[in-house]
C-alpha cells in the first residue's frame, strides 16, 4: 500500500460523503473522473468505492424519516406528466443517442468531404479511407441491436459501438492528438483483468477503426496512452466506462 | 446491537428496487409510485436534516424523483445499489442547496446525538426493512468514537467540505481525511453487507422480519 493509494482511499470516502471540494459537487467532475479512472484498473479501490457508497446510503438513515405531505406525489406526477416531450426524449435515449452519434459522424463526414474538395490528390486516398470508415461507423450505429459505450476523456470523446455478434468500431471526433511517439490503446477489463483490444492514433482528430470485441455487462472499457502496443496497461486509463 | 456479522444473504429489496427502476425506464408509472412510496420519507428526512427547511427539502425530493423518472435508464448498477443511487442524489442536491443558499443560518445547531430520535412507525409510513435498517444505523453510530461521529456529522449531514470540517473541528486536514475513512470503514464493518456491482448482500441478522411497530408490542 503506497501513499498515493492511501490518498485515493481517503478521496473515495470523502467523495461518498459528498465532502469533496470545491465546486462541481454532485456532478461528474474532475475528482469523480479521477476516482472512476482509478477504480477501473484497481479492484480493491473499486470494492472500497462500492462499500463507501452503500455506507453513505446507510448514513442517510441517521436522519429521521419525515412524514411526506400527501400532495407531494401529486405534484411530482403532474410534473412528469406535464413534461411529456422531455420524458419521451429520455425514454428514447437509445435512439436519441444513436441519432446524436450519427449526427456527429455526419459532421465529421461533411468535414471530410469539404476537406476532400480542397486537398491535393496525394491526400485524397487518406480522406477517402477516413470517410469510408466513418460511413461504416454510421452504418453500424444505425443497425438494430447495436449498443454504444461512451468514453469521455479530457478534451475528447470516443464511442465504442458493438453488436452481439462481435462486430465493433471505436470512433470519435475532436479527439486530441496524443504525444509524439504515443498512441491510444483500447482495453476490455473483465474480472479485473485487462485485455488489449486495439492500438490506434487519431487522424486529424478523428478515430474510426473496426475492432474485435464482445463486451458484456460489468465489463469495463478503457483507453490508455501507450508508447507501443502492450499487453498490460502501463498507467491509469485516460478514460473508462463500466457497461451495464 | 449492531456488530460484525458473518452470515450474508442476497438483499431481495435491492432486486425489487432494480426491477422497479427497469419498469420506470420503460415508462411504468405504477413502478414509479412504488419506488416513491418506498423512499420518499427517507429522502425527505435526509433533505430536511441537511437543509433544515421543509419547503426546500420538498423541492429537493421533487427534483430527485422527477430526475429518477427521466433518467431511470441511466442507472448504472455497477456503481451502486438503487438505494445508494437515489439517496446520493438527494444528498447531493440538498448540499447544493445549502451551499448555494447559505442555509446554514436556518439549520439547527444540534450534533447528531441531539437530533430527536423519533419512532418512525408512529409518525411516518416507512417499510419495515427500511425502519429496521434505520435502527441498526443508529446503534452502529452510537458505537463510534465521538470524534468519528462528529466528522461524519459535519461532512455528511451538514454538507461541509473536508476543509470546512478541518476548520470546524480545529484539526489538520490530513487528520480529517484519515478519520473520515476510518469512520466510514468502521461503520461499514458494524453494519455488514456489501455490494459487488450486481447483487447487494446484507447480514442475515439485519434482515428485517418485523416492523418497528411490531417490535414495540
Amino acid at each position: 500500500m503506497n501513499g498515493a493509494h492511501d490518498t485515493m482511499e481517503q478521496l473515495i470516502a470523502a467523495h461518498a460523503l459528498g465532502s469533496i471540494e470545491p465546486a462541481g459537487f454532485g456532478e461528474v467532475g474532475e475528482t469523480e473522473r479521477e476516482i472512476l479512472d482509478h477504480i477501473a484498473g484497481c479492484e480493491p479501490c473499486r470494492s472500497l468505492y462500492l462499500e463507501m457508497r452503500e455506507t453513505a446510503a446507510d448514513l442517510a438513515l441517521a436522519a429521521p424519516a419525515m412524514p411526506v405531505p400527501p400532495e407531494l406525489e401529486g405534484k411530482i406526477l403532474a410534473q412528469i406528466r406535464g413534461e411529456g416531450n422531455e420524458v419521451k426524449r429520455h425514454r428514447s435515449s437509445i435512439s436519441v443517442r444513436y441519432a446524436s452519434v450519427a449526427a456527429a459522424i455526419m459532421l465529421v463526414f461533411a468535414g471530410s468531404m469539404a476537406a476532400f474538395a480542397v486537398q491535393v490528390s496525394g491526400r485524397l486516398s487518406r480522406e477517402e479511407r477516413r470517410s469510408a470508415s466513418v460511413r461504416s461507423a454510421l452504418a453500424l450505429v444505425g443497425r438494430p441491436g447495436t449498443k454504444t459505450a461512451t468514453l469521455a476523456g479530457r478534451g475528447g470523446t470516443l464511442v465504442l459501438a458493438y453488436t452481439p455478434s462481435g462486430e465493433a468500431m471505436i470512433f470519435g471526433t475532436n479527439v486530441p492528438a496524443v504525444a509524439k511517439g504515443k498512441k491510444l490503446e483500447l482495453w476490455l477489463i473483465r474480472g479485473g483483468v485487462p485485455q488489449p483490444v486495439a492500438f490506434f492514433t487519431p487522424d486529424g482528430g478523428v478515430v474510426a477503426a473496426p475492432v474485435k470485441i464482445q463486451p458484456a455487462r460489468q465489463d469495463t472499457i478503457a483507453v490508455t496512452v501507450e508508447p507501443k502496443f502492450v499487453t498490460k496497461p502501463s498507467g491509469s486509463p485516460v478514460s473508462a466506462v463500466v457497461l451495464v | 446491537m449492531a456488530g460484525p456479522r458473518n452470515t450474508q444473504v442476497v438483499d431481495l429489496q435491492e432486486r425489487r428496487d432494480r426491477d422497479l427502476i427497469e419498469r420506470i425506464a420503460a415508462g411504468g408509472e405504477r413502478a414509479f409510485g412504488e419506488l416513491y412510496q418506498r423512499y420518499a420519507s427517507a429522502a425527505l428526512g435526509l433533505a430536511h436534516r441537511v437543509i433544515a427547511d421543509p419547503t426546500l427539502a420538498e423541492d429537493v425530493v421533487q427534483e430527485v424523483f422527477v430526475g429518477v423518472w427521466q433518467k431511470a435508464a441511466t442507472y448504472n448498477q455497477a456503481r451502486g445499489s438503487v438505494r445508494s443511487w437515489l439517496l446520493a442524489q438527494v444528498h447531493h442536491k440538498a448540499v447544493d442547496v445549502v451551499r448555494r443558499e447559505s442555509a446554514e443560518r436556518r439549520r439547527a445547531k444540534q450534533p447528531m446525538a441531539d437530533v430527536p430520535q423519533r419512532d418512525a412507525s408512529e409518525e411516518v409510513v416507512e417499510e419495515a426493512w427500511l425502519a429496521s435498517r434505520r435502527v441498526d444505523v443508529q446503534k452502529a453510530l452510537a458505537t463510534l468514537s465521538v470524534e468519528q461521529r462528529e466528522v461524519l456529522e459535519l461532512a455528511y449531514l451538514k454538507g461541509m467540505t473536508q476543509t470546512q470540517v478541518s476548520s470546524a473541528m480545529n484539526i489538520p486536514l490530513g487528520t480529517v481525511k484519515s478519520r473520515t475513512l476510518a469512520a466510514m470503514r468502521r461503520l461499514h464493518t458494524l453494519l455488514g453487507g456489501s455490494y459487488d456491482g450486481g447483487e447487494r448482500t446484507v447480514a442475515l441478522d439485519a434482515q428485517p422480519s418485523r416492523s418497528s411497530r411490531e417490535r414495540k408490542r
Side-chain angles (χ1 to χ4, degrees):
Chain A
M1 202 66 71
N2 56 38
H5 204 83
D6 292 345
T7 300
M8 178 54 66
E9 290 182 336
Q10 292 173 354
L11 200 60
I12 289 170
H15 177 264
L17 291 171
S19 189
I20 293 295
E21 54 226 290
F25 184 84
E27 297 174 356
V28 181
E30 195 68 16
T31 302
E32 184 162 13
R33 176 58 52 201
E34 186 183 344
I35 291 172
L36 293 177
D37 286 351
H38 179 84
I39 65 175
C42 179
E43 187 55 32
C45 282
R46 193 183 86 90
S47 294
L48 180 69
Y49 174 83
L50 292 173
E51 278 178 18
M52 295 294 101
R53 281 182 67 96
E54 296 306 313
T55 304
D58 279 327
L59 196 54
L61 302 179
M66 289 277 290
V68 182
E71 67 275 12
L72 183 57
E73 185 175 10
K75 283 166 65 177
I76 293 170
L77 289 173
Q79 188 175 348
I80 64 179
R81 286 168 183 156
E83 291 183 351
N85 292 336
E86 181 74 5
V87 171
K88 188 176 178 183
R89 183 173 66 80
H90 284 283
R91 274 194 221 157
S92 305
S93 58
I94 292 175
S95 57
V96 169
R97 190 169 67 237
Y98 289 158
S100 55
V101 168
I105 294 173
M106 285 306 291
L107 279 175
V108 175
F109 183 65
S112 300
M113 290 300 98
F116 181 89
V118 297
Q119 295 299 324
V120 294
S121 59
R123 282 201 65 190
L124 287 183
S125 59
R126 182 181 171 198
E127 296 292 343
E128 285 171 335
R129 280 200 306 274
R130 198 165 71 180
S131 297
S133 297
V134 169
R135 281 196 298 274
S136 298
L138 186 60
L140 184 64
V141 169
R143 198 183 302 170
T146 299
K147 294 183 177 179
T148 59
T150 302
L151 291 140
R154 295 182 179 89
T157 299
L158 286 167
V159 176
L160 174 70
Y162 58 98
T163 68
S165 63
E167 195 175 349
M169 286 198 78
I170 183 81
F171 56 90
T173 61
N174 300 319
V175 180
V178 291
K180 192 175 181 182
K182 294 192 174 182
K183 290 186 176 184
L184 299 173
E185 187 156 349
L186 181 69
W187 301 88
L188 170 70
I189 303 173
R190 181 171 293 169
V193 180
Q195 305 163 26
V197 176
F199 193 52
F200 56 94
T201 186
D203 180 3
V206 175
V207 170
V211 294
K212 283 199 165 187
I213 187 172
Q214 274 190 295
R217 293 173 73 174
Q218 307 303 317
D219 284 347
T220 297
I221 307 297
V223 171
T224 60
V225 178
E226 306 289 354
K228 61 178 182 179
F229 178 80
V230 290
T231 55
K232 284 187 178 177
S234 60
S236 297
V238 292
S239 182
V241 62
V242 180
L243 302 180
V244 295
Chain B
M1 184 71 179
R5 284 114 173 197
N6 295 322
T7 309
Q8 303 286 314
V9 296
V10 171
D11 183 0
L12 296 179
Q13 305 298 339
E14 172 57 20
R15 284 190 181 177
R16 190 171 152 204
D17 284 350
R18 204 178 302 155
D19 174 61
L20 291 175
I21 286 293
E22 287 174 3
R23 287 161 52 199
I24 292 169
E29 204 169 283
R30 183 176 294 181
F32 178 79
E34 198 175 325
L35 191 78
Y36 178 83
Q37 292 301 327
R38 281 166 84 83
Y39 289 109
S41 59
L44 188 60
L46 174 61
H48 187 263
R49 182 66 179 81
V50 174
I51 304 172
D53 181 311
T55 304
L56 290 175
E58 287 177 27
D59 289 347
V60 163
V61 171
Q62 181 170 347
E63 193 179 341
V64 167
F65 274 96
V66 169
V68 166
W69 172 260
Q70 293 175 334
K71 298 171 186 170
T74 68
Y75 164 68
N76 183 346
Q77 70 180 53
R79 289 176 57 187
S81 65
V82 172
R83 182 190 70 140
S84 70
W85 178 66
L86 194 152
L87 292 176
Q89 290 182 69
V90 173
H91 183 257
H92 289 174
K93 288 191 187 299
V95 173
D96 279 346
V97 169
V98 167
R99 293 180 185 173
R100 193 171 56 239
E101 305 288 337
S102 299
E104 289 89 347
R105 293 188 300 276
R106 292 190 289 272
R107 283 187 287 168
K109 293 180 171 57
Q110 300 166 309
M112 186 185 294
D114 295 339
V115 173
Q117 300 297 317
R118 297 178 300 175
D119 185 335
S121 69
E122 290 183 355
E123 298 187 49
V124 297
V125 177
E126 187 171 57
E127 291 194 27
W129 68 275
L130 203 51
S132 174
R133 187 68 172 175
R134 189 181 296 284
V135 171
D136 285 342
V137 170
Q138 289 165 352
K139 287 178 178 174
L141 280 169
T143 70
L144 297 186
S145 68
V146 172
E147 292 80 11
Q148 287 182 331
R149 206 160 53 236
E150 188 176 8
V151 83
L152 294 183
E153 152 80 8
L154 295 176
Y156 190 74
L157 294 178
K158 292 201 170 177
M160 289 186 182
T161 65
Q162 300 275 277
T163 302
Q164 289 170 330
V165 173
S166 168
S167 298
M169 295 181 71
N170 197 25
I171 56 176
L173 180 59
T175 305
V176 172
K177 291 178 177 177
S178 58
R179 191 175 291 175
T180 299
L181 176 61
M184 288 290 278
R185 279 192 154 142
R186 173 87 176 131
L187 197 57
H188 171 73
T189 302
L190 288 166
L191 288 168
S194 66
Y195 185 83
D196 65 2
E199 293 285 12
R200 177 177 160 77
T201 58
V202 292
L204 186 58
D205 54 352
Q207 279 287 289
S209 56
R210 298 169 298 166
S211 69
S212 47
R213 186 190 300 277
E214 288 167 336
R215 284 181 177 187
K216 290 179 66 182
R217 289 174 183 160

